[in-house]
Amino acid sequence: MFPSARAALSLAARGIQHTTVRQAHRKHEPNFHDKYGNLVLLGGAAVFTSVWAYVLTQLGMEWGLSPVGRITPREWRE
């Protein structure tokens, strides 16, 4: 490995170590995800469910999509 690359890697590793030590001694402050994460998740699930419920009930889709019995073969031309 080149000396300059080795020096850059050691500096990067040292920076990561300093960051982790600094964060370990900090008090945990709740961020947006800590405060509202579950609420946003439940809201998204409710919107997803309600939109799909509306689409599936109002779309007029015909269930039972099997073509058996509905398709009749055409007569062969001779």
Side-chain angles (χ1 to χ4, degrees):
M1 188 180 269
F2 296 112
S4 58
R6 190 178 317 134
L9 283 176
S10 69
L11 282 176
R14 195 174 308 135
I16 292 170
Q17 288 171 349
H18 285 294
T19 302
T20 55
V21 168
R22 215 176 316 125
Q23 288 177 353
H25 294 292
R26 238 181 17 175
K27 288 186 178 179
H28 179 70
E29 301 168 0
N31 59 11
F32 177 83
H33 298 288
D34 293 331
K35 289 181 182 178
Y36 307 111
N38 291 335
L39 188 63
V40 170
L41 180 67
L42 291 174
V47 168
F48 177 85
T49 304
S50 61
V51 165
W52 275 108
Y54 176 79
V55 166
L56 293 177
T57 57
Q58 301 299 317
L59 192 61
M61 187 182 300
E62 186 175 317
W63 297 102
L65 302 175
S66 174
V68 174
R70 280 192 246 157
I71 298 174
T72 57
R74 290 186 296 181
E75 295 294 327
W76 284 95
R77 281 189 258 164
E78 292 188 23

